Amino acid sequence: MNYRISADTMKSLQKAQKNEITEYHIYSRLSSYIKNEYNSNILKQIAMDEHHHYNVLKTFTGTDKKPNSLKILFYTLISLIFGITFGIKLMERGEKSSENLYRELGENIDEFKRIADEEDKHEKGLVEIIEEERLKFVSSMVLGLNDALVELTGTLAGLTFALKNTRLIALAGLITGISASLSMATSEYLSTRTEEDNARAFKSALYTGGAYVFTVVCLVLPYLIFSNYVVSLVFTIIAAILIILVFNFYISVAKGLSFKERFFEMAGISLGVAVISFIIGYFIRLFLGVDI
């Protein structure tokens, strides 16, 4: 090795070495938990790559590094709960500094150039071909969430000043929301069934209906907790924004889509409909002379 590595760069290499052995354990653990043999083999292959990178770095640092146990636990749980694609891509988002370091050193040292190429082409390519059911039905989840957010946020906002009673608003919201979720799930099943097999159509309907019901519960819950209808509406709006925030972050990581654009689009539509419905509910109450 003719290229001299500075003390600061050596510290960065040791940090990268620790990351490599940590990720080796994460991929190995996930491969043993995943029942899908195809996905398990992909994770084993990536784990082998990470272990190889660790050994290459070890020849430069001359030290052994222990894996980060907390990081292993965190990303293993995240992957098992939200899906391996999301967990892995979220983890890889935090490793940009190591990739940049490999690229920089790769200009003078062939070993680092090979590691950087493997990170970009091999490992990331393998992650992209992981087969994960929930990602196949993202469009169904988007349909359920988006429709529930737009329809129910607007409905609850309109009912808030029309009824001015949190229990009545919650009752009307639940009836409307659950009925709409069943309608959405049925429509999704029938539309998908004409194009796909029955099993896929059924799963698509479940994801659509499930996402809708989840959103309904989150939006109606404030009216069951608080007695003040204005406070309930405020927390319902906050819940809607949080759902949009979390879901779009998940999609942006798992599918590699723009977070900011999708978030502001969904938030703008949902809140815009809520404001319009709120105004409509207020004027209908005045027009009909309803006072509850």
Side-chain angles (χ1 to χ4, degrees), residues 121-134:
K121 297 177 183 178
H122 190 194
E123 292 178 9
K124 291 181 180 178
L126 288 174
V127 171
E128 291 299 331
I129 61 173
I130 288 176
E131 294 180 350
E132 193 162 17
E133 181 181 274
R134 71 191 71 189

PDB file of all heavy atoms in Angstrom, residues 121-134:
ATOM      1  N   LYS A 121     -23.621  -1.454  -6.851  1.00  0.00           N
ATOM      2  CA  LYS A 121     -24.198  -2.324  -7.872  1.00  0.00           C
ATOM      3  C   LYS A 121     -24.755  -3.622  -7.310  1.00  0.00           C
ATOM      4  O   LYS A 121     -25.869  -4.026  -7.644  1.00  0.00           O
ATOM      5  CB  LYS A 121     -23.137  -2.638  -8.927  1.00  0.00           C
ATOM      6  CG  LYS A 121     -22.647  -1.409  -9.686  1.00  0.00           C
ATOM      7  CD  LYS A 121     -21.538  -1.775 -10.662  1.00  0.00           C
ATOM      8  CE  LYS A 121     -20.991  -0.538 -11.385  1.00  0.00           C
ATOM      9  NZ  LYS A 121     -19.888  -0.887 -12.305  1.00  0.00           N
ATOM     10  N   HIS A 122     -23.998  -4.260  -6.444  1.00  0.00           N
ATOM     11  CA  HIS A 122     -24.385  -5.589  -6.002  1.00  0.00           C
ATOM     12  C   HIS A 122     -25.416  -5.547  -4.886  1.00  0.00           C
ATOM     13  O   HIS A 122     -26.543  -6.000  -5.043  1.00  0.00           O
ATOM     14  CB  HIS A 122     -23.139  -6.360  -5.548  1.00  0.00           C
ATOM     15  CG  HIS A 122     -23.406  -7.814  -5.308  1.00  0.00           C
ATOM     16  ND1 HIS A 122     -22.532  -8.633  -4.630  1.00  0.00           N
ATOM     17  CD2 HIS A 122     -24.458  -8.609  -5.659  1.00  0.00           C
ATOM     18  CE1 HIS A 122     -23.035  -9.859  -4.579  1.00  0.00           C
ATOM     19  NE2 HIS A 122     -24.190  -9.862  -5.195  1.00  0.00           N
ATOM     20  N   GLU A 123     -25.042  -4.946  -3.761  1.00  0.00           N
ATOM     21  CA  GLU A 123     -25.926  -4.966  -2.598  1.00  0.00           C
ATOM     22  C   GLU A 123     -27.217  -4.210  -2.851  1.00  0.00           C
ATOM     23  O   GLU A 123     -28.301  -4.703  -2.553  1.00  0.00           O
ATOM     24  CB  GLU A 123     -25.195  -4.397  -1.385  1.00  0.00           C
ATOM     25  CG  GLU A 123     -24.056  -5.302  -0.918  1.00  0.00           C
ATOM     26  CD  GLU A 123     -23.290  -4.716   0.246  1.00  0.00           C
ATOM     27  OE1 GLU A 123     -23.744  -3.700   0.805  1.00  0.00           O
ATOM     28  OE2 GLU A 123     -22.229  -5.256   0.585  1.00  0.00           O
ATOM     29  N   LYS A 124     -27.134  -3.000  -3.400  1.00  0.00           N
ATOM     30  CA  LYS A 124     -28.342  -2.217  -3.648  1.00  0.00           C
ATOM     31  C   LYS A 124     -29.211  -2.892  -4.702  1.00  0.00           C
ATOM     32  O   LYS A 124     -30.435  -2.828  -4.649  1.00  0.00           O
ATOM     33  CB  LYS A 124     -27.975  -0.793  -4.059  1.00  0.00           C
ATOM     34  CG  LYS A 124     -27.363   0.010  -2.912  1.00  0.00           C
ATOM     35  CD  LYS A 124     -27.021   1.412  -3.327  1.00  0.00           C
ATOM     36  CE  LYS A 124     -26.400   2.183  -2.157  1.00  0.00           C
ATOM     37  NZ  LYS A 124     -25.997   3.546  -2.526  1.00  0.00           N
ATOM     38  N   GLY A 125     -28.549  -3.551  -5.669  1.00  0.00           N
ATOM     39  CA  GLY A 125     -29.303  -4.286  -6.675  1.00  0.00           C
ATOM     40  C   GLY A 125     -30.047  -5.456  -6.067  1.00  0.00           C
ATOM     41  O   GLY A 125     -31.194  -5.738  -6.425  1.00  0.00           O
ATOM     42  N   LEU A 126     -29.411  -6.135  -5.116  1.00  0.00           N
ATOM     43  CA  LEU A 126     -30.053  -7.255  -4.444  1.00  0.00           C
ATOM     44  C   LEU A 126     -31.242  -6.794  -3.615  1.00  0.00           C
ATOM     45  O   LEU A 126     -32.281  -7.453  -3.574  1.00  0.00           O
ATOM     46  CB  LEU A 126     -29.043  -7.988  -3.552  1.00  0.00           C
ATOM     47  CG  LEU A 126     -27.982  -8.824  -4.275  1.00  0.00           C
ATOM     48  CD1 LEU A 126     -26.968  -9.374  -3.271  1.00  0.00           C
ATOM     49  CD2 LEU A 126     -28.619  -9.963  -5.050  1.00  0.00           C
ATOM     50  N   VAL A 127     -31.112  -5.657  -2.940  1.00  0.00           N
ATOM     51  CA  VAL A 127     -32.210  -5.125  -2.134  1.00  0.00           C
ATOM     52  C   VAL A 127     -33.425  -4.833  -3.012  1.00  0.00           C
ATOM     53  O   VAL A 127     -34.568  -5.082  -2.616  1.00  0.00           O
ATOM     54  CB  VAL A 127     -31.777  -3.849  -1.377  1.00  0.00           C
ATOM     55  CG1 VAL A 127     -32.983  -3.187  -0.718  1.00  0.00           C
ATOM     56  CG2 VAL A 127     -30.725  -4.178  -0.325  1.00  0.00           C
ATOM     57  N   GLU A 128     -33.167  -4.335  -4.217  1.00  0.00           N
ATOM     58  CA  GLU A 128     -34.267  -3.961  -5.107  1.00  0.00           C
ATOM     59  C   GLU A 128     -35.078  -5.166  -5.592  1.00  0.00           C
ATOM     60  O   GLU A 128     -36.238  -5.012  -5.972  1.00  0.00           O
ATOM     61  CB  GLU A 128     -33.726  -3.190  -6.327  1.00  0.00           C
ATOM     62  CG  GLU A 128     -33.183  -1.811  -6.006  1.00  0.00           C
ATOM     63  CD  GLU A 128     -34.226  -0.884  -5.425  1.00  0.00           C
ATOM     64  OE1 GLU A 128     -35.420  -1.039  -5.748  1.00  0.00           O
ATOM     65  OE2 GLU A 128     -33.850  -0.001  -4.633  1.00  0.00           O
ATOM     66  N   ILE A 129     -34.479  -6.364  -5.593  1.00  0.00           N
ATOM     67  CA  ILE A 129     -35.219  -7.526  -6.111  1.00  0.00           C
ATOM     68  C   ILE A 129     -35.820  -8.373  -4.993  1.00  0.00           C
ATOM     69  O   ILE A 129     -36.343  -9.460  -5.255  1.00  0.00           O
ATOM     70  CB  ILE A 129     -34.317  -8.414  -7.002  1.00  0.00           C
ATOM     71  CG1 ILE A 129     -33.126  -8.968  -6.205  1.00  0.00           C
ATOM     72  CG2 ILE A 129     -33.849  -7.657  -8.222  1.00  0.00           C
ATOM     73  CD1 ILE A 129     -32.299  -9.976  -6.997  1.00  0.00           C
ATOM     74  N   ILE A 130     -35.740  -7.882  -3.754  1.00  0.00           N
ATOM     75  CA  ILE A 130     -36.411  -8.589  -2.660  1.00  0.00           C
ATOM     76  C   ILE A 130     -37.917  -8.574  -2.911  1.00  0.00           C
ATOM     77  O   ILE A 130     -38.500  -7.551  -3.248  1.00  0.00           O
ATOM     78  CB  ILE A 130     -36.090  -7.920  -1.305  1.00  0.00           C
ATOM     79  CG1 ILE A 130     -34.630  -8.219  -0.906  1.00  0.00           C
ATOM     80  CG2 ILE A 130     -37.031  -8.413  -0.209  1.00  0.00           C
ATOM     81  CD1 ILE A 130     -34.198  -7.528   0.373  1.00  0.00           C
ATOM     82  N   GLU A 131     -38.539  -9.713  -2.757  1.00  0.00           N
ATOM     83  CA  GLU A 131     -39.985  -9.816  -2.971  1.00  0.00           C
ATOM     84  C   GLU A 131     -40.700  -9.640  -1.638  1.00  0.00           C
ATOM     85  O   GLU A 131     -40.526 -10.438  -0.727  1.00  0.00           O
ATOM     86  CB  GLU A 131     -40.322 -11.196  -3.566  1.00  0.00           C
ATOM     87  CG  GLU A 131     -39.774 -11.403  -4.966  1.00  0.00           C
ATOM     88  CD  GLU A 131     -40.121 -12.770  -5.522  1.00  0.00           C
ATOM     89  OE1 GLU A 131     -40.615 -13.620  -4.752  1.00  0.00           O
ATOM     90  OE2 GLU A 131     -39.898 -13.001  -6.718  1.00  0.00           O
ATOM     91  N   GLU A 132     -41.488  -8.582  -1.536  1.00  0.00           N
ATOM     92  CA  GLU A 132     -42.193  -8.309  -0.291  1.00  0.00           C
ATOM     93  C   GLU A 132     -43.648  -7.979  -0.594  1.00  0.00           C
ATOM     94  O   GLU A 132     -43.940  -7.040  -1.348  1.00  0.00           O
ATOM     95  CB  GLU A 132     -41.520  -7.153   0.455  1.00  0.00           C
ATOM     96  CG  GLU A 132     -41.988  -7.008   1.876  1.00  0.00           C
ATOM     97  CD  GLU A 132     -41.028  -6.173   2.701  1.00  0.00           C
ATOM     98  OE1 GLU A 132     -40.191  -5.464   2.139  1.00  0.00           O
ATOM     99  OE2 GLU A 132     -41.147  -6.238   3.927  1.00  0.00           O
ATOM    100  N   GLU A 133     -44.538  -8.756   0.015  1.00  0.00           N
ATOM    101  CA  GLU A 133     -45.951  -8.655  -0.323  1.00  0.00           C
ATOM    102  C   GLU A 133     -46.510  -7.271  -0.098  1.00  0.00           C
ATOM    103  O   GLU A 133     -47.216  -6.721  -0.929  1.00  0.00           O
ATOM    104  CB  GLU A 133     -46.757  -9.675   0.487  1.00  0.00           C
ATOM    105  CG  GLU A 133     -48.239  -9.647   0.176  1.00  0.00           C
ATOM    106  CD  GLU A 133     -49.027 -10.639   1.004  1.00  0.00           C
ATOM    107  OE1 GLU A 133     -49.120 -11.800   0.586  1.00  0.00           O
ATOM    108  OE2 GLU A 133     -49.532 -10.257   2.070  1.00  0.00           O
ATOM    109  N   ARG A 134     -46.191  -6.668   1.059  1.00  0.00           N
ATOM    110  CA  ARG A 134     -46.830  -5.392   1.393  1.00  0.00           C
ATOM    111  C   ARG A 134     -46.489  -4.298   0.394  1.00  0.00           C
ATOM    112  O   ARG A 134     -47.291  -3.397   0.168  1.00  0.00           O
ATOM    113  CB  ARG A 134     -46.459  -4.963   2.816  1.00  0.00           C
ATOM    114  CG  ARG A 134     -45.051  -4.507   3.034  1.00  0.00           C
ATOM    115  CD  ARG A 134     -44.736  -4.376   4.500  1.00  0.00           C
ATOM    116  NE  ARG A 134     -44.640  -5.675   5.141  1.00  0.00           N
ATOM    117  CZ  ARG A 134     -44.536  -5.844   6.450  1.00  0.00           C
ATOM    118  NH1 ARG A 134     -44.527  -4.806   7.254  1.00  0.00           N
ATOM    119  NH2 ARG A 134     -44.425  -7.057   6.973  1.00  0.00           N
TER     120      ARG A 134
END
